Amino acid sequence: MRTAIVTGGASGIGRALARALAARGVAVTVADLNEPADLAGWGKGELEYARVDVTDAEAVAALVARVAGERGRLDFMVNNAGIAVGGTALEMTRAHWDRTIDVNLRGVVHGVLAAYPIMVRQGHGHIVNTASLAGLVPAPLMLPYTATKHAVVGLSLALRAEAAEHGVRVCVVCPGFVDTPLLDNANPGLPATRVGAAARQAIGHGPGRLYSADALAADVLRGMARGKAVISAPASARIAWRLARLWPGGAVRAAQLASRLVNRGQDGRENGPRDGGPRPPRSA
Ligand SMILES: NC(=O)c1ccc[n+]([C@@H]2O[C@H](COP(=O)([O-])OP(=O)(O)OC[C@H]3O[C@@H](n4cnc5c(N)ncnc54)[C@H](OP(=O)(O)O)[C@@H]3O)[C@@H](O)[C@H]2O)c1
């Protein structure tokens, strides 16, 4: 039986991916901070929950070694756990940066460090890293998030190049906005910001009006089967990515416009420093 580990598998995109894999008969380990209450009802296929914090490299390594050892193989390592941060560059503190790098980037690195050698030894396997459209375009008002997602894209594509000769496949998932609890939980455990406090409002779509995690999971499995390097959805995300490649300067201009619109939408004026001090020069 094929096996998979899905980090962040208790909620949102990870949950949808875990369920979709299980529905295809894959034995799935849902690795997350909290156990999903309804795991038993997720359908056919063997499912287990393992508590893991992806920022803990040793815990991730122990989990991956245990699953591969017990099952005799590891087919899919889905490094998906992530957090959202939102706010202007002026609002982002060192804590926002550190936490985002720890979860969104180091979490993926820990999964790769643990799973890749096992997959190379067995001569097959598929590493799936969840980045974001924010890893492909200059997404403003969430600098640490954008930076870590760009890093995950680079890591994934470079690893894909190395891994091919070992029979190991690597892809990176770059969704636009997807309807998950993440959009209501920006800056978890971190200092509040004006934009981050209302991410869903800033996007302008309430629950049920965004792309669903189940639709994305279907896109991901289809993209994996086709051997895609970058899996991006919905179509609007793929268009934004394509435009950014064709016209990088235009992408920055569009990001500038979006940043101003969101800022103005928050309080009727552009955000300045929180202490009300002087604005930085326009060229900063
Ligand atoms: N939703 C979107 O619009 C969107 C768009 C592009 C990319 N993504 C990316 O997709 C991935 C999944 O996001 P989602 O939207 O599905 O969010 P979600 O519904 O909040 O699910 C993320 C899961 O990861 C868990 N998690 C957080 N920190 C963790 C840690 N240190 N160790 C283990 N698990 C941890 C969360 O647990 P808690 O709930 O307990 O924190 C949660 O169960 C993320 O990498 C995100 O950046 C999301």
Side-chain angles (χ1 to χ4, degrees), residues 8 11-13 32 34 52-54 80 130-131 145 149 176 178 180-182:
S11 174
I13 294 167
D32 207 304
N34 299 294
V52 77
D53 182 340
V54 296
N80 164 81
T130 307
Y145 188 86
K149 295 304 186 180
V178 179
T180 75
L182 183 103

Side-chain angles (χ1 to χ4, degrees), residues 74-86:
L74 179 62
D75 297 276
F76 306 104
M77 180 72 203
V78 184
N79 296 304
N80 164 81
I83 59 164
V85 292

Side-chain angles (χ1 to χ4, degrees), residues 55-82:
T55 67
D56 182 342
E58 288 178 8
V60 174
L63 169 72
V64 172
R66 199 261 299 159
V67 170
E70 283 178 9
R71 304 268 185 193
R73 57 191 289 168
L74 179 62
D75 297 276
F76 306 104
M77 180 72 203
V78 184
N79 296 304
N80 164 81

